[in-house]
Amino acid sequence: MGFFSKFKEGLTKTRDALMGKVESIISFGRKIDEEFYEELEEALIMADVGVNTVMDIMDELRSEVKKRKLSEAEELRPVLKDILVRLMGEQNGDLQTSPDGLTVILFVGVNGVGKTTTIGKLAHQFKSQGQKVVLAAGDTFRAGAIEQLEVWGKRAGVDVIKQQAGSDPAAVIYDGIQAARSRKADVLLCDTAGRLQNKANLMEELNKIYRVIKREVPDAPHETLLVLDATTGQNALQQAKLFGESTGVTGLVLTKLDGTAKGGIVIAIRKELSIPVKLVGLGEKMEDLMPFDAQDFIDALFAKSDEKPQE
């Protein structure tokens, strides 16, 4: 299945919730009036596109209607799509890697968002590309986190570096770097804790990990990926703001995008933050972690059942 088909299938709930409502509003014979604008605005907000973002979209839509002298609601479908494509900008899921040494990728995010699962899936992807991968079990506080990473390590066929529960996470990451070097690994994927109720300590812990990585591999981490659960909608946006301010996040991973009608949060995150979405989770299988492509995302949202992606 191609990227577009995966997006289309994975965004079914969001497309039905958002575009199903939009399509019913932009119906044949309906005139563009104030009531129409209010209904469209509500549909976008309900899909978790975010109030601020929706206001900007509506302002632009009104402006285009005046400029193009449009009067029929059905004429707005391609206009709305163009606005969203422009808003998302050029964006793809390319990960930064080291050209001639060890690539270190750090994962951050609160507990329960799918961090460990994402690490396991990404390890599988790198390994299937012929790369040697090591995992570092830096979430030493959550019960079962180390064991969960070990299960994913076995599934992906990669080594997991760990210490006892409650150990210093930065020490585990240090061990991970040394092990990756001695095993001539190409990629080190580092798990971290996510106890937001202890925010100050968590951020200090992440900063300590960051300093250890920088000391050992000066051009690393090559990516600091914040993992967010798309089903939490606006909460995911708040987490992105919190972590983005504190931890030098370079990219976002949105998990469970296939399980939510709130996929509009991708648009809100893109509009309100300058952090690119790098990967999205569109299912349970190892292969269901996909590089994010903004054009594919919008095409899939607007797709009819038999529609192909734009060339």
Side-chain angles (χ1 to χ4, degrees), residues 57-71:
I57 291 169
M58 296 307 296
D59 286 347
E60 206 170 329
L61 200 61
R62 286 171 187 266
S63 171
E64 288 293 322
V65 166
K66 279 185 188 164
K67 196 190 300 178
R68 303 185 194 196
K69 297 185 170 56
L70 304 179
S71 60

Side-chain angles (χ1 to χ4, degrees), residues 42-276:
E42 184 184 346
L44 291 167
I45 289 171
M46 292 299 286
D48 260 34
V49 174
V51 175
N52 294 338
T53 306
V54 170
M55 293 304 145
D56 289 344
I57 291 169
M58 296 307 296
D59 286 347
E60 206 170 329
L61 200 61
R62 286 171 187 266
S63 171
E64 288 293 322
V65 166
K66 279 185 188 164
K67 196 190 300 178
R68 303 185 194 196
K69 297 185 170 56
L70 304 179
S71 60
E72 303 291 330
E74 62 185 349
E75 297 174 294
L76 283 187
R77 195 177 192 274
V79 180
L80 179 60
K81 184 174 180 180
D82 286 347
I83 289 170
L84 292 179
V85 167
R86 281 203 305 275
L87 189 151
M88 295 297 289
E90 289 291 325
Q91 192 181 168
N92 60 47
D94 293 341
L95 294 174
Q96 297 300 313
T97 56
S98 173
D100 52 6
L102 176 64
T103 293
V104 181
I105 299 177
L106 186 63
F107 289 82
V108 300
V110 303
N111 291 337
V113 293
K115 255 199 326 284
T116 312
T117 302
T118 298
I119 291 169
K121 288 178 177 178
L122 193 57
H124 167 75
Q125 285 187 16
F126 277 124
K127 190 172 182 214
S128 65
Q129 293 162 9
Q131 310 236 46
K132 184 161 189 181
V133 184
V134 171
L135 310 183
D139 185 356
T140 60
F141 295 102
R142 179 172 64 87
I146 297 168
E147 292 78 7
Q148 189 186 359
L149 195 67
E150 285 186 296
V151 168
W152 276 102
K154 281 193 182 115
R155 284 181 72 184
V158 302
D159 292 340
V160 178
I161 307 306
K162 62 173 185 174
Q163 290 187 13
Q164 290 181 324
S167 300
D168 177 9
V172 178
I173 304 304
Y174 174 83
D175 286 354
I177 292 169
Q178 305 315 313
R181 278 183 172 146
S182 69
R183 294 167 204 201
K184 294 186 169 47
D186 301 295
V187 182
L188 174 67
L189 305 179
C190 305
D191 195 8
T192 64
R195 303 154 302 150
L196 253 197
Q197 65 272 26
N198 200 353
K199 183 183 139 192
N201 287 359
L202 172 61
M203 295 309 168
E204 178 49 43
E205 194 176 278
L206 290 173
N207 286 331
K208 186 178 174 187
I209 289 170
Y210 199 84
R211 290 195 299 272
V212 166
I213 292 172
K214 273 264 175 257
R215 190 184 68 221
E216 296 301 314
V217 187
D219 63 337
H222 299 90
E223 292 276 9
T224 299
L225 298 179
L226 171 60
V227 183
L228 301 168
D229 179 345
T231 65
T232 63
Q234 290 297 308
N235 280 345
L237 179 59
Q238 294 311 312
Q239 287 168 26
K241 287 178 177 174
L242 173 69
F243 276 89
E245 288 162 5
S246 309
T247 58
V249 170
T250 58
L252 303 175
V253 182
L254 277 163
T255 64
K256 309 173 197 175
L257 199 56
D258 60 311
T260 183
K262 297 180 175 183
I265 195 61
V266 179
I267 300 165
I269 283 171
R270 182 61 185 153
K271 178 72 175 67
E272 296 197 30
L273 301 170
S274 57
I275 306 168

Side-chain angles (χ1 to χ4, degrees), residues 283-297:
E284 298 298 316
K285 298 196 287 293
M286 282 283 219
E287 300 76 24
D288 289 338
L289 185 69
M290 305 282 295
F292 181 75
D293 182 279
Q295 183 71 56
D296 276 357
F297 175 76

Side-chain angles (χ1 to χ4, degrees), residues 17-27 40 43-44 80 302:
L18 172 57
M19 292 313 298
K21 181 76 170 159
V22 169
E23 292 290 356
S24 69
I25 297 165
I26 304 178
S27 55
L40 184 58
L44 291 167
L80 179 60
F302 279 78

Side-chain angles (χ1 to χ4, degrees), residues 8-25:
K8 201 170 134 198
E9 186 181 286
L11 287 173
T12 299
K13 287 187 180 177
T14 292
R15 186 170 59 251
D16 289 350
L18 172 57
M19 292 313 298
K21 181 76 170 159
V22 169
E23 292 290 356
S24 69
I25 297 165

